[in-house]
Amino acid sequence: MAEQKIPYKIYLAEDEIPKQWYNVRADMKTKPAPLLNPATLEPMTFDDLRPVFCDELVKQELDDDTAYIDIPQEIQDFYKMYRPAPLVRAYCLEKKLQTPAKIYYKFEGNNTSGSHKLNSAIAQAYYAKKQGLKGVTTETGAGQWGTALSMACSYFDLDCKVYMVKVSYEQKPFRREVMRTYGASVTPSPSETTNVGRQILERYPGTTGSLGCAISEAVEVATTNDGYRYVLGSVLNQVLLHQSVIGLETKAAMDKYNITPDIIIGCAGGGSNLGGLISPFMGEKLRGEKDYDIIAVEPASCPSFTRGKYAYDFCDTGMVCPLAKMYTLGSGFIPSANHAGGLRFHGMSSTLSQLYHDGYMRAVSVEQTSVFEAAEQFARVEGILPAPESSHAIRVAIDEALKCKETGEEKTILFGLTGTGYFDLVAYQKFNDGEMSDYIPTDEELQKSFDSLPKVDK
Amino acid sequence: MAEQKIPYKIYLAEDEIPKQWYNVRADMKTKPAPLLNPATLEPMTFDDLRPVFCDELVKQELDDDTAYIDIPQEIQDFYKMYRPAPLVRAYCLEKKLQTPAKIYYKFEGNNTSGSHKLNSAIAQAYYAKKQGLKGVTTETGAGQWGTALSMACSYFDLDCKVYMVKVSYEQKPFRREVMRTYGASVTPSPSETTNVGRQILERYPGTTGSLGCAISEAVEVATTNDGYRYVLGSVLNQVLLHQSVIGLETKAAMDKYNITPDIIIGCAGGGSNLGGLISPFMGEKLRGEKDYDIIAVEPASCPSFTRGKYAYDFCDTGMVCPLAKMYTLGSGFIPSANHAGGLRFHGMSSTLSQLYHDGYMRAVSVEQTSVFEAAEQFARVEGILPAPESSHAIRVAIDEALKCKETGEEKTILFGLTGTGYFDLVAYQKFNDGEMSDYIPTDEELQKSFDSLPKVDK
């Protein structure tokens, strides 16, 4: 077959947007460990989870067997507003690096929420609407998830209550305004509006909040108000399922041009982007059809995979959520004030944790300053200002491309460019002014945090 | 021919990106009036303009006859990084409005500069590089042009000095940081770095600056430093030429699906977006091949077309630039503090002014609050947060679609969605808080401003 010229951007046609999500759990020999009821330490059942999540989403959460799940037509229609997302050949970056490697990235930032989060937000809002609910509650850190959810809720005329980590609420007033423009109410967390918020404020006066704490508040509001459910933008199996649209589109675009990646790279906070991007490739790897070098990239300041424990832990600070088995730094871990808000979660998707534990992928941690160096280098030649989170993947993609330059290997590198950095310019300013710091937790700090892990013999 | 299903987004293929720009002046029976030397009142010659602009751009500026001009390969390659831009069928907006009208928009915001400005920035940077220059100077108001130019200059390793209207510099620190990330130096204007800046500061202490004043500073720096030239993001003929890529792509996409617009709408500040979008359609109209209802939309607070005089005027406050014949409010006109910084210029493209004067297009002015109402309505259903400038076009597109709802006409409406509003959230916040005001200049204020027009008998 004659070699085709690869365009700068590969766009699938509208009718090539996936019509089914892919559930990687179906192909896992060792399934991810189940969520546990924190009171009984028994696996959470459908009925246990119904007060928290929409029924259909509970089904998806617990379904380890169905490989392909139909995407409802209403969600497909919404996807058409901003998908297919382009798969970009980074010709300009390759040239700048003078590498023989071929670099591709899947760009998910071409929508107003600025990231891939919309893929799951619209699905979760749809199922809430279909169940006849009034609204949903959630937490947001950096604000990408909250923005995505507010967009999705405004599309389906659902009420949307967002608990935003207080430090982000104050540092990112513009994020708040986007959410308000889409009709959401935004409350800084911890707040006086919930029991758990009041308790946390009493215990830690002046705290600037954390994702774990905002989750606790959002869950409380959902479970104590009629017609509301809680929705989450990462970590959960259902979220990875929805995000598989990223990987499926990427694979379809690559197949079209007979491209096979050698290395697949994604940043990992809770795992939504990485899990989505790699899913169909991981499926092939799990089925023994193909092999890929799959790399999770995390900040050195919040190194769940590379320095965490694989253990049952709470997903939230208030300890109201089920226990999840995952790589975790302990639910009490407070990462240093790095600028990748989306990568500051103490835990990690159970599915990805199991895959990592079983050796199907590896993990790398990178320091903040080197991440912004990569971000700037990328922005200047590829013309996109990347989000700090996404820039973790860029860092490692560049590192791998530079290794190829040394060895002469023509590897094909694929990475996920999850979003844009328009709302992260305080971070860029710090970098531009040479005032960015790198902080890596000490072994003692981590050990202290591990001591708070719940005792679960599973 | 069977009717084709129109997708949500029509993307041309990479090899369908235009390879030539279209110069609408070639089809104008009455050519736009020439720039005049302010000292002699004689038309500016190639040699007069060479100290200010790159040679190739001077040629383009003065060329009223060549209809198609080749786009250099290097610029075509850069275009591939973010073009073709999608032509979007606004199915969701149509449904929300319950209109029989078919609404399309050409979305130019899918790049980090956030607007169409990059189309001309990359061309101007390319010609500067080709001429062996060290760098370029420019002014920016809202910051879209400055951002675009800094991206273009970083791509070609050119120095980029941006004079940013002081009020924007202070209100939009993030815009400044994007430019710095792309390596540009950004100076608030008026500044102490130029003679004209010092004079203006002496005469108007505490002034927050204006576009006209920032232009004067940038021109002075370009003409007094070896190896520098001045570049401008709107108004000029060369800019409209480069921006024709918008209209050419739009027309190609529409032709592909046998779509013919009845109404074409664009916001108009200096005319770069409107001129670019309408150019091939205007060409057909000028040649008598087709008719279109072409509408320029401007803010009621800065109504050059609808309330300005058609006369020779300065483009800048410092009166160092050539005189241009255009619809103008007078170079001393200071628009009220509305939030569409890109539409606050006192004048208008000479080419568009001539076309308007000759009856080939009409103009409408709209008030700020109604513009943001339209912006919010659009954002909620179409999923894109529009720039305030672009939202002027949205306002009139919605108004025209609502007229169709009344009359039952199935008109096809096309408008230009020039950019995104990520850096305009102070404005959205004011709107969300109900604190937005509308100000329309009085006849007396305009008359006072007209009194300052230079006396030119042409």
Side-chain angles (χ1 to χ4, degrees):
Chain A
M1 186 172 184
E3 200 175 323
Q4 282 175 280
K5 163 97 178 96
I6 312 279
Y8 279 61
K9 298 185 302 307
I10 305 176
Y11 276 108
L12 296 177
E14 194 166 288
D15 58 10
E16 293 172 305
I17 298 177
K19 291 172 184 60
Q20 296 185 307
W21 292 304
Y22 167 64
N23 179 6
V24 74
R25 287 168 284 159
D27 282 311
M28 289 169 71
K29 280 174 211 90
T30 313
K31 306 291 179 190
L35 296 172
L36 298 187
N37 183 319
T40 64
L41 298 187
E42 290 302 314
M44 294 291 282
T45 64
F46 181 74
D47 287 331
D48 288 338
L49 286 168
R50 285 189 70 195
V52 183
F53 301 123
C54 301
D55 293 357
E56 196 61 33
L57 292 167
V58 175
K59 277 190 215 160
Q60 294 178 359
E61 190 63 31
L62 299 176
D63 185 346
D64 285 348
D65 304 309
T66 311
Y68 288 93
I69 294 178
D70 288 342
I71 304 176
Q73 188 59 48
E74 290 87 342
I75 299 174
Q76 286 191 42
D77 285 344
F78 188 88
Y79 279 169
K80 288 175 194 164
M81 273 170 50
Y82 68 102
R83 307 200 69 83
L87 175 69
V88 186
R89 172 77 184 267
Y91 281 117
C92 300
L93 182 62
E94 290 170 16
K95 195 174 155 195
K96 186 80 181 176
L97 299 174
Q98 296 182 286
T99 176
K102 297 177 181 72
I103 308 176
Y104 292 86
Y105 55 92
K106 179 72 168 172
F107 181 42
E108 290 285 327
N110 263 354
N111 71 74
T112 283
S113 80
S115 82
H116 67 293
K117 295 285 184 182
L118 199 51
N119 300 330
S120 183
I122 192 63
Q124 298 193 47
Y126 166 77
Y127 290 118
K129 186 72 182 178
K130 202 179 150 207
Q131 196 173 319
L133 298 176
K134 284 185 216 158
V136 293
T137 71
T138 199
E139 76 295 327
T140 199
Q144 292 184 327
W145 167 247
T147 308
L149 189 68
S150 62
M151 287 175 68
C153 286
S154 98
Y155 185 78
F156 284 127
D157 274 324
L158 275 173
D159 186 37
C160 178
K161 295 183 197 301
V162 179
Y163 283 81
M164 186 169 187
V165 177
K166 192 181 273 174
V167 60
S168 296
Y169 182 90
E170 285 165 359
Q171 283 180 354
K172 297 188 161 189
F174 295 164
R175 270 286 180 204
R176 187 183 70 208
E177 287 311 318
V178 184
M179 292 184 252
R180 286 181 71 205
T181 299
Y182 281 94
S185 77
V186 188
T187 307
S189 166
S191 76
E192 295 283 350
T193 65
T194 64
N195 285 326
V196 68
R198 286 185 291 270
Q199 282 162 19
I200 292 170
L201 282 172
E202 198 173 321
R203 197 163 154 201
Y204 307 102
T207 176
T208 53
S210 70
L211 261 187
C213 163
I215 294 175
S216 301
E217 289 203 87
V219 170
E220 179 181 322
V221 173
T223 50
T224 55
N225 281 277
D226 262 0
Y228 281 81
R229 290 294 184 281
Y230 169 70
V231 296
L232 180 64
S234 192
V235 182
L236 298 173
N237 294 331
Q238 58 188 268
V239 176
L240 265 69
L241 174 71
H242 307 147
Q243 294 295 357
S244 69
V245 71
I246 304 173
L248 292 165
E249 263 188 27
T250 303
K251 189 152 192 323
M254 290 195 134
D255 287 348
K256 211 165 181 172
Y257 287 86
N258 294 309
I259 306 159
T260 306
D262 298 298
I263 308 177
I264 306 173
I265 302 165
C267 61
S272 70
N273 141 67
L274 179 69
L277 175 67
I278 66 174
S279 60
F281 302 98
M282 183 59 86
E284 292 183 314
K285 190 163 177 171
L286 287 165
R287 295 188 303 267
E289 297 163 8
K290 282 206 178 146
D291 196 18
Y292 302 101
D293 181 13
I294 297 175
I295 311 177
V297 189
E298 57 187 16
S301 57
C302 193
S304 329
F305 269 138
T306 50
R307 297 176 68 199
K309 290 240 188 285
Y310 189 41
Y312 267 104
D313 194 8
F314 289 96
C315 293
D316 64 327
T317 312
M319 304 185 179
V320 301
C321 290
L323 296 170
K325 190 167 182 186
M326 56 188 176
Y327 282 85
T328 177
L329 300 166
S331 66
F333 179 78
I334 308 275
S336 68
N338 80 63
H339 292 287
L343 305 182
R344 299 183 73 218
F345 186 61
H346 65 274
M348 183 56 67
S349 142
S350 291
T351 298
L352 291 185
S353 291
Q354 187 65 50
L355 290 166
Y356 179 68
H357 185 72
D358 292 343
Y360 287 103
M361 49 190 276
R362 59 189 177 103
V364 171
S365 78
V366 289
E367 291 182 37
Q368 182 164 244
T369 307
S370 76
V371 165
F372 275 83
E373 280 163 7
E376 189 190 79
Q377 189 169 24
F378 178 84
R380 289 192 180 187
V381 292
E382 288 291 319
I384 295 171
L385 187 79
E389 292 82 358
S390 327
S391 305
H392 285 68
I394 297 175
R395 172 73 273 162
V396 174
I398 289 177
D399 289 345
E400 292 293 333
L402 291 176
K403 280 185 209 162
C404 289
K405 187 177 174 178
E406 278 183 29
T407 63
E409 287 173 291
E410 293 184 21
K411 284 189 182 173
T412 297
I413 300 170
L414 165 67
F415 72 91
L417 188 69
T418 55
T420 49
Y422 296 115
F423 294 99
D424 301 286
L425 284 156
V426 169
Y428 275 97
Q429 181 171 6
K430 279 218 155 58
F431 176 74
N432 290 336
D433 290 339
E435 292 171 2
M436 184 159 272
S437 64
D438 293 311
Y439 183 78
I440 304 175
T442 64
D443 287 341
E444 291 68 32
E445 283 169 316
L446 288 185
Q447 192 50 56
K448 201 176 151 199
S449 180
F450 293 146
D451 290 344
S452 69
L453 285 172
K455 307 285 172 262
V456 180
D457 191 20
K458 297 198 182 196
Chain B
M1 186 173 186
E3 200 175 323
Q4 283 177 281
K5 163 96 178 96
I6 312 280
Y8 279 60
K9 298 185 301 306
I10 305 176
Y11 277 107
L12 294 178
E14 194 166 287
D15 58 10
E16 294 172 304
I17 298 176
K19 292 173 184 59
Q20 296 184 307
W21 293 303
Y22 167 63
N23 179 5
V24 73
R25 286 168 285 159
D27 282 310
M28 290 169 69
K29 278 174 212 91
T30 312
K31 307 292 180 190
L35 295 171
L36 297 188
N37 184 318
T40 64
L41 299 187
E42 289 302 313
M44 295 290 283
T45 63
F46 180 76
D47 287 331
D48 287 338
L49 287 168
R50 285 189 69 194
V52 183
F53 302 122
C54 302
D55 293 357
E56 196 61 33
L57 292 167
V58 174
K59 276 189 214 159
Q60 293 178 359
E61 190 64 31
L62 299 176
D63 185 345
D64 286 346
D65 303 309
T66 313
Y68 288 94
I69 293 178
D70 288 344
I71 304 176
Q73 188 59 48
E74 291 87 340
I75 299 175
Q76 287 190 41
D77 286 344
F78 187 89
Y79 278 169
K80 288 175 194 164
M81 275 171 48
Y82 69 102
R83 309 200 67 84
L87 176 69
V88 187
R89 172 76 183 266
Y91 281 117
C92 300
L93 181 62
E94 291 170 17
K95 195 173 155 195
K96 187 80 180 175
L97 298 174
Q98 297 182 284
T99 175
K102 298 179 180 72
I103 309 176
Y104 292 86
Y105 55 92
K106 180 71 169 172
F107 181 42
E108 291 285 326
N110 263 355
N111 71 75
T112 282
S113 81
S115 81
H116 67 293
K117 295 286 184 183
L118 199 51
N119 300 329
S120 183
I122 192 63
Q124 298 194 46
Y126 166 76
Y127 290 118
K129 186 71 180 179
K130 204 181 149 204
Q131 196 173 319
L133 298 176
K134 284 186 216 156
V136 294
T137 71
T138 198
E139 77 295 328
T140 198
Q144 293 184 326
W145 168 246
T147 308
L149 188 69
S150 62
M151 289 176 66
C153 286
S154 99
Y155 185 79
F156 284 126
D157 274 324
L158 274 174
D159 186 37
C160 179
K161 296 184 196 301
V162 179
Y163 283 82
M164 187 170 186
V165 177
K166 191 181 273 173
V167 60
S168 295
Y169 183 90
E170 286 164 0
Q171 283 180 355
K172 297 189 160 188
F174 294 165
R175 270 286 180 202
R176 186 184 69 209
E177 286 311 318
V178 183
M179 292 184 252
R180 287 182 70 205
T181 298
Y182 282 94
S185 76
V186 187
T187 307
S189 166
S191 76
E192 296 283 350
T193 65
T194 63
N195 286 326
V196 67
R198 286 186 290 272
Q199 281 162 19
I200 290 169
L201 282 170
E202 199 173 320
R203 193 160 157 205
Y204 307 102
T207 176
T208 54
S210 70
L211 262 186
C213 162
I215 294 174
S216 301
E217 289 203 84
V219 170
E220 180 181 321
V221 173
T223 50
T224 55
N225 281 277
D226 262 1
Y228 282 80
R229 290 294 184 282
Y230 168 71
V231 296
L232 180 64
S234 191
V235 182
L236 297 173
N237 294 331
Q238 57 187 269
V239 177
L240 265 69
L241 174 72
H242 307 148
Q243 294 295 359
S244 69
V245 71
I246 304 173
L248 292 165
E249 264 188 28
T250 303
K251 189 151 191 322
M254 291 195 134
D255 286 349
K256 211 165 180 171
Y257 287 87
N258 294 308
I259 305 158
T260 305
D262 298 297
I263 308 177
I264 306 173
I265 302 166
C267 61
S272 69
N273 141 67
L274 179 70
L277 174 67
I278 65 174
S279 59
F281 302 98
M282 183 60 87
E284 292 182 313
K285 191 163 176 172
L286 288 164
R287 296 188 302 269
E289 296 162 10
K290 280 206 181 146
D291 196 18
Y292 301 102
D293 180 13
I294 297 175
I295 311 176
V297 189
E298 58 187 16
S301 57
C302 193
S304 329
F305 269 138
T306 49
R307 296 176 68 200
K309 288 241 188 286
Y310 189 41
Y312 267 105
D313 195 9
F314 289 97
C315 293
D316 64 326
T317 311
M319 303 184 180
V320 300
C321 289
L323 296 170
K325 189 167 182 187
M326 57 187 176
Y327 281 85
T328 178
L329 299 165
S331 66
F333 179 77
I334 309 275
S336 67
N338 79 64
H339 292 287
L343 305 182
R344 299 183 73 218
F345 186 62
H346 66 274
M348 182 57 66
S349 142
S350 290
T351 299
L352 291 185
S353 292
Q354 186 67 48
L355 290 166
Y356 178 68
H357 186 71
D358 292 343
Y360 287 103
M361 50 189 277
R362 60 190 177 102
V364 171
S365 80
V366 289
E367 292 183 36
Q368 181 164 246
T369 306
S370 76
V371 165
F372 275 83
E373 281 163 6
E376 188 190 81
Q377 189 170 24
F378 178 84
R380 290 192 180 187
V381 293
E382 289 290 318
I384 295 170
L385 188 79
E389 291 83 358
S390 327
S391 304
H392 285 68
I394 298 175
R395 172 73 275 162
V396 173
I398 289 178
D399 290 343
E400 291 293 333
L402 291 175
K403 279 185 210 164
C404 288
K405 187 178 175 180
E406 278 183 31
T407 63
E409 287 174 289
E410 293 185 21
K411 285 189 181 172
T412 297
I413 300 170
L414 164 67
F415 71 90
L417 188 69
T418 54
T420 50
Y422 296 115
F423 293 101
D424 300 286
L425 283 155
V426 169
Y428 275 96
Q429 182 172 6
K430 279 220 155 55
F431 176 74
N432 291 335
D433 290 339
E435 291 172 2
M436 185 159 272
S437 63
D438 293 310
Y439 183 78
I440 304 176
T442 63
D443 288 341
E444 290 69 32
E445 283 168 317
L446 288 186
Q447 192 51 55
K448 202 176 151 199
S449 180
F450 293 147
D451 289 344
S452 70
L453 285 173
K455 307 288 171 260
V456 180
D457 191 21
K458 296 195 185 200

